[in-house]
Amino acid sequence: MYHSENKGLVLGIMAGAAAAISFFLIWYHKVRKPWASIHLPAFLDFDNRFHFVGLQNETHNESGTVMTLHGRQLQVLEKLNGLVISVEELKREIKFLKEAIPKLEELVRDELQGKANAHRISPSHRATKKRKAETARGTPDNASSEEAESEGGYITAHTDTEGESEEEKGWVISSGATVVRSEEETKLTNLLQNVDHLHGGSVDDKKKSFRLLLEEKEQYGKHARFLWRLARAYGDMFEMTTDVEEKKKYVANGKISAGKAIQLDAMSAESHQWFAVMCGYMSEFESMQNKIKNGYLFKEHLDKAIELKPQDPFLYYLNGRWCYSVSQLSWIEKKVAAALFGTPPTSTIEEALQNFLKAEEMHPGYSKYNYVYLAKCYKKLGQKSNALKYCDSALSVLSVTSEDREAQKDLETLLLTLKP
């Protein structure tokens, strides 16, 4: 009995201690500062709890029931403490949100007002005009179309009808559908606007455009719209120099730049267009085998450019030149192509004519050379009256650019064959 009485006494003491601890915590919670958290006494701490229980177990090995009860009380107290802390944190978060909501409303209102006032300033886009009208005003031909015809008959040229995509205008659409322009995009867009303007100017302007692009290549060399313009500038330099080695260097670098642009943006019509142009330029210095290979590449990327930008008359003009040249391939060139690639390129004068007519339909008076090739096609088809008609149209366009002067030479030769 003595042992059982001691056991009851221990239980009573422990229950009283637990009740005292509970009342202490309730009192502490009421009087503590609002932002204070409940920190358990050291002996109630997680790390010390097992030490405390271990000591009790050493002292009261026979009192397993008592220690189990006490352990549960400690767990309850710990959970209550965690709940109180969570409630205090929730109160602080609610207070913060109440303070932040007016500022958020003001921010949203300012942003919506800025979006309503924003206007999109796209890069200036040169409109192609008839050369006769431009010459009458005494202005340089801003819509020049420089070209070169390869020994194998594959044609390339410059264009001034490149379109501008949303990405080219430097616009970035955020997840919240808010239109913003980053500082880097703004600088790049301004640079490209300046480059486009210089490209349509004099020889010195084109050289300046080329130098600007080279200076900014390290910073913007990972933008497709920068790289295809660099390829175009290499094409300008190719046309302006007479040194063969320099021509080879310019066209090689131009092809690399256009190829990188395609890798960055396979949906860029201009990147495919200028890659095709570089392939045509390279054929001037290649063997017959490489000329034919570049001819296939030229057609592949030209077709892709037309698919992506079907509204550009220059691309149909280029396609007409390719069709005309292929239709005039010699027997040996067709045999070499068949041996190397299985199937030689094929086209007809009729296909060439349709492309030239398409370019003229989309942009009447687009090119002096387009008129010359229309006359050539009709001559090949035996339609002399139509051939003379387009010769007259070509004569009405003054020779302003180097391409115009080349077209004039071809026109004079063609007229000799049409006159009785």
Side-chain angles (χ1 to χ4, degrees):
M1 291 298 295
Y2 181 76
H3 180 72
S4 63
E5 288 177 358
N6 286 341
K7 191 172 184 180
L9 180 60
V10 170
L11 288 172
I13 292 172
M14 296 300 295
I21 291 171
S22 299
F23 282 118
F24 169 75
L25 289 174
I26 293 172
W27 170 83
Y28 179 74
H29 175 60
K30 289 182 177 181
V31 300
R32 70 187 179 91
K33 295 179 180 180
W35 58 84
S37 298
I38 292 180
H39 297 282
L40 294 177
F43 70 93
L44 293 179
D45 186 73
F46 181 82
D47 293 331
N48 295 323
R49 189 174 66 229
F50 294 104
H51 175 66
F52 174 77
V53 174
L55 290 176
Q56 292 297 321
N57 284 336
E58 290 178 4
T59 307
H60 304 286
N61 289 329
E62 73 281 1
S63 305
T65 302
V66 174
M67 295 312 302
T68 299
L69 177 62
H70 184 65
R72 290 177 179 175
Q73 290 174 335
L74 291 176
Q75 292 177 1
V76 170
L77 289 174
E78 184 178 359
K79 292 180 178 180
L80 286 172
N81 180 62
L83 180 61
V84 172
I85 293 174
S86 298
V87 170
E88 291 300 325
E89 291 178 351
L90 182 59
K91 288 180 179 179
R92 288 196 298 273
E93 290 179 2
I94 292 174
K95 180 180 179 181
F96 172 77
L97 289 174
K98 287 181 178 179
E99 295 174 352
I101 285 175
K103 297 179 181 179
L104 181 61
E105 291 177 350
E106 182 180 355
L107 179 63
V108 171
R109 184 166 54 251
D110 292 343
E111 186 173 352
L112 291 176
Q113 183 179 0
K115 180 179 178 182
N117 295 334
H119 61 280
R120 299 170 63 163
I121 306 176
S122 63
S124 59
H125 190 77
R126 293 176 291 110
T128 307
K129 300 180 180 180
K130 293 185 179 180
R131 294 189 177 96
K132 183 162 47 173
E134 291 176 343
T135 305
R137 292 195 303 271
T139 60
D141 182 9
N142 288 341
S144 63
S145 299
E146 303 175 9
E147 59 80 35
E149 184 169 358
S150 70
E151 295 177 14
Y154 300 109
I155 307 305
T156 61
H158 288 254
T159 181
D160 30 307
T161 56
E162 290 93 3
E164 296 289 344
S165 65
E166 286 300 308
E167 187 267 338
E168 290 184 32
K169 294 172 184 174
W171 291 86
V172 180
I173 309 301
S174 69
S175 58
T178 302
V179 182
V180 296
R181 298 181 72 178
S182 67
E183 182 178 355
E184 181 180 357
E185 285 293 327
T186 300
K187 290 181 179 179
L188 176 57
T189 298
N190 292 337
L191 170 66
L192 298 184
Q193 288 179 3
N194 189 24
V195 165
D196 288 341
H197 175 72
L198 292 172
H199 171 70
S202 64
V203 169
D204 289 337
D205 288 337
K206 291 180 179 180
K207 290 180 179 179
K208 183 178 179 181
S209 170
F210 178 66
R211 289 194 298 269
L212 283 175
L213 289 167
L214 287 183
E215 291 172 0
E216 302 294 339
K217 182 179 178 181
E218 183 176 352
Q219 181 173 359
Y220 299 114
K222 293 184 179 180
H223 294 262
R225 59 198 180 109
F226 175 89
L227 287 170
W228 71 253
R229 284 176 171 86
L230 179 59
R232 182 183 65 183
Y234 276 120
D236 289 339
M237 298 304 294
F238 175 91
E239 288 289 343
M240 290 185 289
T241 186
T242 57
D243 184 85
V244 174
E245 292 304 316
E246 287 188 0
K247 280 182 175 287
K248 290 181 179 179
K249 180 184 68 175
Y250 288 138
V251 74
N253 289 330
K255 187 176 181 181
I256 291 172
S257 297
K260 288 181 179 179
I262 292 173
Q263 292 176 356
L264 291 170
D265 184 5
M267 301 305 290
S268 168
E270 290 76 22
S271 299
H272 288 282
Q273 171 185 318
W274 289 104
F275 187 86
V277 168
M278 293 302 115
C279 288
Y281 284 150
M282 292 189 78
S283 67
E284 292 190 18
F285 313 105
E286 302 285 357
S287 63
M288 183 182 296
Q289 175 180 342
N290 287 332
K291 284 180 182 179
I292 294 173
K293 179 180 178 181
N294 280 319
Y296 278 102
L297 289 173
F298 179 92
K299 180 61 173 172
E300 175 187 348
H301 288 277
L302 179 60
D303 286 346
K304 186 64 177 178
I306 292 175
E307 176 187 337
L308 295 170
K309 193 171 59 170
Q311 75 281 4
D312 189 348
F314 173 72
L315 297 177
Y316 294 98
Y317 165 77
L318 268 187
N319 202 32
R321 294 288 297 264
W322 186 89
C323 293
Y324 185 90
S325 299
V326 169
S327 69
Q328 303 302 302
L329 286 178
S330 65
W331 177 85
I332 185 63
E333 288 173 325
K334 292 179 180 179
K335 287 297 181 182
V336 171
L340 293 175
F341 302 102
T343 303
T346 59
S347 191
T348 64
I349 291 295
E350 288 80 5
E351 290 176 336
L353 177 62
Q354 291 305 312
N355 279 280
F356 292 130
L357 289 173
K358 179 77 170 178
E360 176 64 15
E361 176 187 353
M362 296 179 72
H363 196 298
Y366 170 73
S367 166
K368 184 183 185 80
Y369 238 139
N370 196 60
Y371 283 141
V372 172
Y373 271 92
L374 279 167
K376 286 184 177 184
C377 287
Y378 280 119
K379 177 181 178 294
K380 291 285 185 182
L381 295 173
Q383 301 181 30
K384 185 177 177 180
S385 60
N386 281 329
L388 289 171
K389 169 188 172 183
Y390 283 105
C391 283
D392 291 339
S393 296
L395 286 170
S396 68
V397 179
L398 297 179
S399 297
V400 178
T401 68
S402 58
E403 182 200 42
D404 293 337
R405 290 187 284 273
E406 290 296 324
Q408 183 65 31
K409 292 178 183 179
D410 283 359
L411 177 60
E412 292 171 359
T413 302
L414 179 60
L415 284 170
L416 292 176
T417 65
L418 290 173
K419 291 180 179 179

